[in-house]
Each structure stands twice: as C-alpha cells, then as structure tokens.
Amino acid sequence: MVGKCDMCHGRLAEGREPACVNACPQGAIRIEVVNIGQWKQEYSASANAPGLPSADDSISTTRLTLPASLPPNIEKADYWRVRPEVPHWPLVVMTVLTQLSVGALSAIWLVQLLGRSTRLSVAALGSLAVAGLALNASTLHLGRPIHAYRALKMWRRSWLSREVLAFSCFSAVATAYAGSLWLHLRIGVALGLLTSLLGAAGVMASACIYLVKARPAWHTKHTVIEFFLTAALLGPLFVASIGVVAGRWIVVTVLVAAAAQMLNQAVKFLRLTASDSFEMQASARLLSTVLRTHFLLRSALLIGGGIALPLFFTGRLGMCLALAVALGGEVMGRYLFFISVVPKTSRPLSLCGRQAA
C-alpha cells in the first residue's frame, strides 16, 4: 500500500533513477532538482496546461512538457463521462445529526430564557444522545477508529482538528447543561449560552473543512449557510417533537429556516449552472440528469417537513412527523452534497472529448 512518495530518495542518493522513471516504457517521467525560490516565480508557466486545474491551487511542483503545437479543441478525456462521487455515509450521518443537536440545544436555551421549563431536561438529554450518536458515527469513516483522538494534535492549523475539539467541548458542556436543567441550577442559563456558542463553532469548523479549492462546488458560502440552516430547521423540530411548549416562535423559526434552505439550494444550483468552471457545471449536470430524482425528492421532503406539516399540524404528533420528513430531506441533501461534487483532478487530455468517450 502506497504511503507517501519521496521520489525514491534512497535511489537518488545512490545515483539511480526513481522506480517510476525507470519503469515508464515511454520515458514520459523525469525527476529533477529545482531551486524552490525560482520555481515559485516560474511555476505558472511550467506547471499549467490546457484542461488541467490551475497550478495556483497548490503551487504544483510538476513541470509539464507539452508538444510543440497543440490543436485548439483540446479538452478533458472524460468531459462527457462525469460520475457521482462516493457518498461517505458516516459523514452524512455525523454532519446532519451534530447540526440537529446544536440546533436543538440552542432552541432549548432560548426556551429557557423565555421562562418556560416544560420537559426541557428531557429534550436536552435527547439532544445530547443525538450528538453522541453522531460523534460515534464519525469514527466509522476512519481506517483505524481507535486512533481518532490523534485528530486533536493539529488544532492550530487543521479545521478537522478544530471540529473535533469544538464538538468534544460542546459535548462536555452540553452534558453539564443537561444536568443543570435536571437539578434546576441557576448556572443553567450560562451553560446553555456556552453550549450554543461551542455548537456554532463546531458547525462552522465542519463547514470550513469542505471549503477547499479542489472541490469548487463546495468552496462557496452556500456550504456554510446550508450547515447552519440544517441546525436551524431540525433543532426546533426536535424540541417540539419532545413536547416542549414554547409558543408559535418555534413554528416560525422552522418555516423561515426551511424557506431559506430552499432558496439557498436554488441559488447554488443556478450559480453552478452559470459558472465558467468545468467542475461546477459538471455538478449541475449531475443534479439535473443522473441525480435529478434525488434532487427533486430532497426538495419535496424539505417542503413537506419544513413548511407544510409544521404549518397545518402544530400538535406534537404533527411535529414528530415533520421532524421525520425534514430529517429525511436533510440526509438526502447531505448525500447529494457529497456525491454531486466534481473534484479538480489531472485528467488526461484528448483532441475531442466526444470521440474519447
């Protein structure tokens, strides 16, 4: 199994060629020693090629030697064969449920501020259980879950480490907050505020993980907005389904969040379609063709669970049904988030994409 290429440093030290250079039958690969300072000034002219991602994205250290003359109709070999990506189900479950938990505990804190205390402790424990389930599900994405704690080491530079740190602190403080609600302690309001702030920090860190240039469809403000709106939609619905009585503001919050989520998804799709980026256009193409049924179902579930049911069935049973439908819609939305993204990769070039297909 390949770990990380070091250009066969040992072979180079002995005056031998790296294994890949030695094995290439066409002699298409060479390894050269470059001046780093000089390369950073010249790489844009040496590392860019038609149809490939910009070398500016990573300051590519690969020098591309192109033919003396290139036809004007060069494009990606797989231009007409874009396929959905892997869904990453543990991450789908983790992101949706952590956001539900953050939204629920924030809603509980707001209800407490309004002077209502009916079933708040039960709702807090339920929200805490959802958060625990989500964090446990996230470890299933790791090759060796037992070493998950190592993710904390890079908290100063890595958004993933910051996410782990924020949600770990969120879980600890949320546990204390749930205990304060059970015991009716005065410190509960302060703990609720801290829980909400740590939860918001965790959601922001989760969103920032996906703001990478290599995935253009993710690298937009719509990702951050989507994550926070999921919390604003599912959290109040969860609290209402537990039986917390907080007046009409919960229903209004759900309606506004659902409408905003619909608008966010619509604007994102239109921007993907109108973009000059191949990867963003390809994401829009996936959503409108291969994934069209999923995309429409996601919208229908969002309208049903976030607007129709809360508007016409305000009882506890109606809220439980609304939560189930809206949760299904957000899970479907996060599934589409992962599988519809088209990454920037060094795809082979062809003289005509249609012929290559």
Side-chain angles (χ1 to χ4, degrees):
M1 183 176 180
V2 176
K4 185 175 182 180
C5 175
D6 62 356
M7 302 296 176
C8 292
H9 183 269
R11 293 172 63 95
L12 287 173
E14 297 173 359
R16 296 188 294 162
E17 294 177 332
C20 60
V21 176
N22 190 50
C24 182
Q26 301 297 325
I29 306 174
R30 288 194 306 166
I31 301 296
E32 60 179 305
V33 179
V34 299
N35 181 293
I36 297 178
Q38 183 179 1
W39 176 257
K40 288 183 176 181
Q41 297 177 356
E42 300 177 349
Y43 75 90
S44 60
S46 303
N48 281 313
L52 296 183
S54 172
D56 292 332
D57 291 346
S58 61
I59 309 183
S60 174
T61 56
T62 301
R63 187 191 304 277
L64 300 173
T65 303
L66 302 174
S69 59
L70 290 176
N73 59 338
I74 281 186
E75 58 187 31
K76 295 174 174 62
D78 60 351
Y79 187 90
W80 302 100
R81 291 179 290 164
V82 178
R83 298 181 179 88
E85 290 291 306
V86 178
H88 301 294
W89 280 109
L91 295 182
V92 171
V93 173
M94 178 264 180
T95 53
V96 172
L97 292 188
T98 51
Q99 288 152 29
L100 184 157
S101 179
V102 170
L105 284 163
S106 298
I108 290 169
W109 174 66
L110 291 174
V111 172
Q112 185 183 18
L113 286 180
L114 294 175
R116 303 174 185 270
S117 59
T118 306
R119 299 180 66 85
L120 285 185
S121 56
V122 176
L125 288 177
S127 304
L128 192 60
V130 171
L133 176 63
L135 295 178
N136 286 325
S138 67
T139 62
L140 299 177
H141 184 65
L142 303 176
R144 291 182 290 178
I146 195 172
H147 296 306
Y149 68 93
R150 293 181 179 177
L152 291 170
K153 292 183 177 181
M154 299 293 291
W155 67 270
R156 292 185 180 182
R157 292 184 291 176
S158 168
W159 281 109
L160 175 60
S161 296
R162 293 167 187 164
E163 178 196 43
V164 174
L165 178 60
F167 278 127
S168 297
C169 294
F170 166 77
S171 299
V173 177
T175 301
Y177 179 48
S180 71
L181 290 174
W182 272 103
L183 299 174
H184 303 287
L185 301 178
R186 293 183 178 180
I187 197 175
V189 174
L191 288 175
L193 173 60
L194 184 56
T195 299
S196 300
L197 293 176
L198 287 171
V203 174
M204 176 60 75
S206 292
C208 288
I209 291 173
Y210 301 102
L211 300 183
V212 291
K213 292 182 179 179
R215 303 290 192 280
W218 290 350
H219 194 239
T220 69
K221 59 186 177 183
H222 297 288
T223 296
V224 179
I225 294 173
E226 177 182 346
F227 280 28
F228 275 99
L229 286 177
T230 296
L233 171 63
L234 297 182
L237 279 176
F238 182 83
V239 171
S241 67
I242 294 294
V244 174
V245 179
R248 298 287 297 177
W249 73 266
I250 279 190
V251 175
V252 173
T253 301
V254 170
L255 293 175
V256 171
Q261 190 73 291
M262 283 290 297
L263 179 61
N264 182 55
Q265 296 299 312
V267 173
K268 177 182 177 180
F269 179 75
L270 291 176
R271 287 184 173 175
L272 290 175
T273 304
S275 173
D276 294 330
S277 165
F278 160 76
E279 289 79 13
M280 296 184 78
Q281 287 184 357
S283 292
R285 195 190 318 159
L286 281 174
L287 290 172
S288 60
T289 56
V290 180
L291 303 174
R292 179 175 56 187
T293 301
H294 299 77
F295 190 47
L296 293 176
L297 178 60
R298 188 266 191 278
S299 299
L301 290 173
L302 180 58
I303 293 173
I307 298 177
L309 288 171
L311 193 59
F312 297 106
F313 301 94
T314 56
R316 184 178 176 185
L317 181 60
M319 287 299 178
C320 288
L321 182 58
L323 173 64
V325 175
L327 179 60
E330 293 308 295
V331 169
M332 178 64 72
R334 202 55 46 83
Y335 169 77
L336 290 172
F337 175 82
F338 282 108
I339 69 172
S340 66
V341 67
V342 176
K344 289 185 177 181
T345 56
S346 298
R347 300 176 178 84
L349 306 181
S350 65
L351 296 183
C352 180
R354 293 180 183 272
Q355 294 178 357

